Amino acid sequence: MAKYILSAFADESAPDFAGQIAALKANNIRYIEPRLVNGHTILECTDEEIAAFRKALDEAGIAVSSLGSPIGKYEIEKDFAPHFELFKKAVAVAKALGTDKMRVFSFFIPDKRYAEFRDEVVARMKAMVEYATAEGITLCHENEEKIYGEAPAQVADLLASVPGLAAVYDPANYVLTGNDPLAGYEACREKIAYFHIKDAMGLENVVVPAGEGEGCIKDILVRHGDTTDADVFVSLEPHLFGFSGYESFDERGLAGKVDRFKDSAESFAYATSALRRVLTEGGYEETEPGAFTARELKKIRFGILGVGNQGTYYTKLLVEGKVRNGCIGAVADFDEAARNEWLEKFGNICPVYSSLEEMIASGNIDCLLVEIPHYGHPDAAITAMKAGIPTIVDKPAGVYTLQVEEMFRVQKETGVLLGMMFNQRTNPIFRKMKQMIADGELGEIKRASWIITMWYRNQCYYDSGAWRGTWDGEGGGVLYNQAPHQLDLFQWILGMTPSRVHSFCHYGKWHKIDVEDDVTTYVEFPNGATGTFITTTADFPGSNRFEVTGTRGTLIFDTTKLTFYRCQTDEREFCFSAKEVWAMNKYTTVSVPVYGENTQHAGILNNVADTLLGLCELYAPGTDGINGVAFANAQHLSSWEGKTVEMPIDGKRFYKLLSKKIEAAKAKKK
C-alpha cells in the first residue's frame, strides 16, 4: 500500500512566503510545491529571495516536494534556445530548494496540429530530461490543455518515447479538456511520480473540491495505492478562489466561478479538508501530520442465500477479489441440487448450509445477500436483521408493499443496515442525470418518459424455470424481473415519485405466461409534471431512451449517450415575454461528458463493505426499495381496475387482488 503525503501549491492561500508557510502549518501540511510568489513565478525570484525562502521553509519544518515550474508552457514554434536557458535556471532553483523533482509541460501546439509537431516535442523533452538527469532532477510531466499531452494517448506516447520522464497526474485537467480521467490515469500509472489534486465538472467547466467532481479521485488513489508501496505526494492545487497571479494561467476563465468561499485562505482550508476526507473514505488514516497510510481493515464476510445464477455471480465477484474489503463467508440454499452444483464450481471455499438459520447461527457471515425468488426477499431480510445481520436485498425489494413495509418496520426497530442491490445507480450516466436535475440545470421538471424495451425474452426463457412468468413464482413479469432497476431510477433520478398512475398492462400477450409482458403507463407527479413508462419483453431489438424535459431544456439518455438541449432562456419566461407570433426560444446542443467506471454489482458490494467499515454512507439504502415496488403495484392495480390510481396505493386492496390472480392461475393449471 502506498503512503500518501500531502503537499500543496500554497500560493493559492497567500501571495507571500510568510503567508504560504503559515497556511501550510495551519493545515498540517509539511511539504510545498512552489510556483508563484508575490504574483510572479518562482523562476523570477532572485537568488537571494530563493535562499531566504529556503531558510524560512527549513525553520518552519517544511520541505519542497517538487518545483511547480512553468517550463514547457511555451509555444512549440518559438525558438527553443531561450526557453532552454530558463529551464536550466529552473533546475538550479529546484536544487537550491532541496527537491529532486520538477513539474514540466510539453509545449503549446497551434490549432491542434499535434501530429505535425510531435517529433519536435519529443526531441525537446529528451534534451531537457538528459540535462535534468545529469543534475539529479527528475522531470515530471503534467497533462494540460493545448499542449502535446492534453489527451491520454499523447501522454502515453511521451512517457514511452522519452526515457527518464516521469508523470504528474492531474484528473481535473483531463475532465476540463473532455478526456476520461480514468483513461488518463491508465496512460501514465506506471510512471506517476506524484499527483496534482483538484477536481472538476466538465459540463459546467468549473473546478470543485476533491471528491465533489468527475475526476474519480478517490477511486484512482485507492487503485494506485493498492499497486505500490512507495511514498507518493498528493499535491493540492485547489483553484477554488482567484489569487495573485492566477489570471496568468487561467485561460479557461475558471477564476471566480466558485463563490462559496470568502477568501483564498478559506478555500485552501476547505480544499485540504476535502482531500483528507477522500483519503479517509478510501481507507487511509493520517498516521502523522499530512501523511496517510492504509488502515488495517477486516474483510466483511458476505453470506449468500440462494446459489442460482445470481448467487453464483456474486460468489465469483468475491472470489476474484472484486470487492476490496469483502470476501465470501458462507452460502446457503434449501435445494440440495443447487448446493451440489455450486460445490462443483467452487469447491470447499467456504461453509455451505441448507438454511438461512443455519448460516446465521454459524457466525461465519457479517452481511447477507438475498438471492432467492422475489416473494422470499422480505422474510429473509427480516430473519437476518432480527439476528443483527446487515442485509442486502436483490431487486425487487418484494412483490407487494405490505411485505416491504414490514421489512422496513423491522429495520427501523433493529437499526440494522438494510440495502438494495440497485447496481444501475453506479452508472456514471445516471448519476450525472440525477446531479444535473438536482442542481437545477433543467429548471422545473415538466415531463419524463422512459422507453425501455431491450428486455427481449423468448418462450424458452420462460419455460426454463417453473417459477418464471407466474403469479405465485415471480409475482409479476417484466415489471418485477427485468425493469425494477428502471422503476427505481425513474424516481431516483427525478428526485420525486408519481402521485397518480394510469397503466395498461397486457398479460401473456406475446408469451405463454400468466404475468405482464407488455406495459404502457402514464404518470403524474406532485409538481404537475407528467410522464410515461413503457416496457416489454417482446420487442426486438428494442430501445432504451429516457427523456426528461424541464423549463430550461431537455436531457436525453439514449442507450449509451447523454445529450442536453439547453434553452437560452427558461421556457416559462420565454413563453410570456416573446413579442412575435412565431418566435422560438434558442438552444444549444451539448454532448454531456460523463466520466467514471460503471462498477455495477461489485460497486454496490464495495460500497456496502465500506459502509460497514465506517468509510462512507450507503449508496442504495433499503428504504428506497419500496419506491419501485409501489410503482409496479400501482401499474397493476390501475390496469386491473381500469382506472387511474392515486399513490400511495391501498396495499391491502392490491394484495387481495394479487391473491385472486394467484388462485386463478393455480386453478387454471389443475
Side-chain angles (χ1 to χ4, degrees):
M1 296 286 189
K3 180 180 181 180
Y4 285 120
I5 303 172
L6 300 189
S7 181
F9 287 93
D11 51 22
E12 300 203 24
S13 64
D16 58 293
F17 286 157
Q20 292 178 24
I21 290 171
L24 291 171
K25 294 180 72 173
N27 288 281
N28 276 324
I29 300 175
R30 304 294 177 86
Y31 289 86
I32 187 173
E33 188 169 351
R35 178 181 55 191
L36 298 173
V37 182
N38 297 325
H40 55 257
T41 74
I42 191 75
L43 301 188
E44 295 173 298
C45 292
T46 64
D47 291 344
E48 290 75 17
E49 287 176 312
I50 295 295
F53 187 32
R54 173 66 186 273
K55 181 181 179 182
L57 290 174
D58 289 343
E59 291 175 349
I62 295 171
V64 175
S65 61
S66 177
L67 181 68
S69 87
I71 296 300
K73 280 198 168 186
Y74 186 76
E75 290 79 3
I76 193 69
E77 293 180 303
K78 287 185 176 180
D79 182 9
F80 183 44
H83 196 65
F84 194 78
E85 291 304 310
L86 182 64
F87 160 72
K88 289 193 288 187
K89 178 179 180 180
V91 170
V93 170
K95 293 175 67 176
L97 291 176
T99 181
D100 61 354
K101 298 180 182 67
M102 186 172 90
R103 183 267 305 267
V104 294
F105 302 90
S106 49
F107 304 96
F108 290 125
I109 308 299
D111 305 318
K112 297 187 179 295
R113 290 149 56 193
Y114 297 117
E116 178 181 343
F117 292 101
R118 182 264 178 196
D119 291 347
E120 178 63 19
V121 168
V122 170
R124 292 184 179 189
M125 297 302 291
K126 283 183 175 179
M128 292 195 300
V129 168
E130 182 179 350
Y131 180 90
T133 301
E135 294 292 318
I137 301 295
T138 298
L139 297 190
C140 307
H141 174 267
E142 179 182 351
N143 54 290
E144 175 63 281
E145 184 179 20
K146 297 180 181 179
I147 67 171
Y148 189 86
E150 175 180 288
Q154 295 166 1
V155 171
D157 177 40
L158 275 178
L159 295 173
S161 303
V162 183
L165 181 64
V168 179
Y169 172 78
D170 188 318
N173 282 352
Y174 277 127
V175 172
L176 292 168
T177 55
N179 289 284
D180 185 344
L182 287 173
Y185 169 72
E186 291 299 328
C188 66
R189 63 183 177 84
E190 294 182 357
K191 295 192 176 182
I192 290 177
Y194 62 98
F195 292 83
H196 276 174
I197 301 297
K198 61 178 180 287
D199 213 339
M201 302 294 290
L203 179 65
E204 296 80 0
N205 190 41
V206 63
V207 173
V208 296
E212 297 182 19
E214 298 169 325
C216 307
I217 292 176
K218 185 179 80 171
D219 292 342
I220 288 169
L221 290 180
V222 167
R223 187 179 303 185
H224 193 74
D226 286 347
T227 61
T228 179
D229 293 325
D231 291 354
V232 182
F233 286 110
V234 283
S235 189
L236 273 166
E237 188 183 15
H239 282 15
L240 298 178
F241 196 91
F243 53 91
S244 179
Y246 190 3
E247 63 281 354
S248 66
F249 54 84
D250 182 28
E251 297 180 3
R252 287 184 293 267
L254 299 174
K257 282 199 173 184
V258 179
D259 58 4
R260 58 202 270 194
F261 305 108
K262 67 181 180 181
D263 55 31
S264 57
E266 182 180 81
S267 68
F268 185 80
Y270 187 90
T272 304
S273 65
L275 175 54
R276 281 189 159 94
R277 183 168 59 251
V278 166
L279 287 166
T280 299
E281 291 177 356
Y284 285 80
E285 61 181 339
E286 195 164 3
T287 51
E288 55 186 286
F292 291 77
T293 55
R295 288 172 53 186
E296 290 292 332
L297 298 171
K298 76 167 191 172
K299 295 282 187 180
I300 297 299
R301 300 169 300 165
F302 285 94
I304 302 174
L305 177 63
V307 292
N309 292 336
Q310 204 64 22
T312 296
Y313 173 70
Y314 291 132
T315 302
K316 289 180 179 178
L317 290 180
L318 292 163
V319 170
E320 293 172 0
K322 299 296 177 60
V323 183
R324 183 171 181 253
N325 293 319
C327 63
I328 186 76
V331 300
D333 199 304
F334 70 89
D335 187 286
E336 183 178 4
R339 296 197 301 272
N340 290 336
E341 185 176 345
W342 185 91
L343 284 166
E344 287 180 8
K345 293 177 181 177
F346 299 104
N348 295 312
I349 60 171
C350 68
V352 179
Y353 300 99
S354 59
S355 72
L356 171 60
E357 290 76 10
E358 284 183 304
M359 182 164 63
I360 291 174
S362 73
N364 289 320
I365 68 171
D366 303 308
C367 183
L368 174 68
L369 293 175
V370 179
E371 304 303 326
I372 56 178
H374 305 158
Y375 280 102
H377 289 181
D379 286 343
I382 288 170
T383 298
M385 288 188 292
K386 285 184 175 180
I389 301 295
T391 301
I392 307 302
V393 177
D394 217 319
K395 53 82 180 173
V399 174
Y400 51 94
T401 57
L402 290 179
Q403 60 173 183
V404 178
E405 288 168 352
E406 175 63 13
M407 179 173 70
F408 293 159
R409 186 192 67 78
V410 173
Q411 191 279 325
K412 185 176 181 180
E413 181 182 279
T414 62
V416 175
L417 179 144
L418 176 66
M420 287 296 303
M421 182 51 75
F422 283 148
N423 51 284
Q424 289 297 318
R425 290 190 181 189
T426 71
N427 189 320
I429 290 181
F430 297 141
R431 297 206 311 266
K432 184 66 176 179
M433 292 181 74
K434 180 176 176 63
Q435 174 254 316
M436 290 177 66
I437 291 170
D439 288 351
E441 287 274 0
L442 276 69
E444 182 74 9
I445 301 302
K446 299 167 64 179
R447 190 180 321 280
S449 298
W450 202 331
I451 301 175
I452 172 64
T453 56
M454 297 179 69
W455 305 124
Y456 184 76
R457 300 290 189 271
N458 59 30
Q459 188 61 42
C460 182
Y461 165 81
Y462 288 107
D463 294 341
S464 67
W467 70 289
R468 294 193 184 280
T470 64
W471 288 114
D472 60 339
E474 285 191 285
V478 63
L479 293 175
Y480 288 81
N481 204 334
Q482 284 77 37
H485 288 300
Q486 284 67 39
L487 295 178
D488 169 63
L489 293 169
F490 191 69
Q491 301 169 86
W492 182 69
I493 290 172
L494 295 175
M496 55 184 174
T497 60
S499 55
R500 305 178 80 228
V501 174
H502 197 121
S503 186
F504 300 88
C505 298
H506 298 271
Y507 303 96
K509 181 177 182 179
W510 304 108
H511 306 88
K512 294 178 181 179
I513 58 176
D514 298 326
V515 295
E516 81 283 356
D517 59 1
D518 193 314
V519 177
T520 298
T521 298
Y522 165 80
V523 301
E524 295 177 1
F525 292 94
N527 74 333
T530 60
T532 55
F533 188 87
I534 299 171
T535 189
T536 181
T537 53
D539 288 1
F540 186 83
S543 62
N544 188 5
R545 180 182 174 93
F546 187 18
E547 182 172 315
V548 184
T549 297
T551 58
R552 295 181 181 175
T554 297
L555 184 63
I556 298 176
F557 160 71
D558 194 346
T559 311
T560 58
K561 298 185 301 182
L562 189 59
T563 307
F564 184 32
Y565 299 90
R566 175 185 275 153
C567 293
Q568 180 174 298
T569 305
D570 187 285
E571 184 277 328
R572 292 288 79 199
E573 178 185 342
F574 180 85
C575 178
F576 294 103
S577 63
K579 304 301 181 183
E580 298 179 8
V581 173
W582 302 111
M584 291 291 173
N585 201 353
K586 294 181 179 179
Y587 69 91
T588 55
T589 302
V590 181
S591 180
V592 181
V594 177
Y595 307 111
E597 187 178 359
N598 187 5
T599 54
Q600 291 282 339
H601 304 85
I604 294 294
L605 293 181
N606 273 296
N607 170 254
V608 170
D610 289 352
T611 299
L612 291 172
L613 292 169
L615 300 178
C616 63
E617 295 182 357
L618 194 62
Y619 194 59
T623 48
D624 288 359
I626 199 168
N627 295 333
V629 175
F631 191 15
N633 286 183
Q635 291 176 78
H636 278 305
L637 190 58
S638 171
S639 190
W640 293 340
E641 297 188 337
K643 65 180 183 181
T644 300
V645 299
E646 304 282 339
M647 289 187 67
I649 65 166
D650 183 338
K652 292 181 179 179
R653 189 173 83 197
F654 175 81
Y655 180 65
K656 182 178 180 180
L657 293 175
L658 174 63
S659 298
K660 288 183 178 180
K661 291 286 182 183
I662 294 172
E663 292 304 316
K666 288 180 179 178
K668 183 179 177 181
K669 293 175 183 178
K670 289 182 179 178

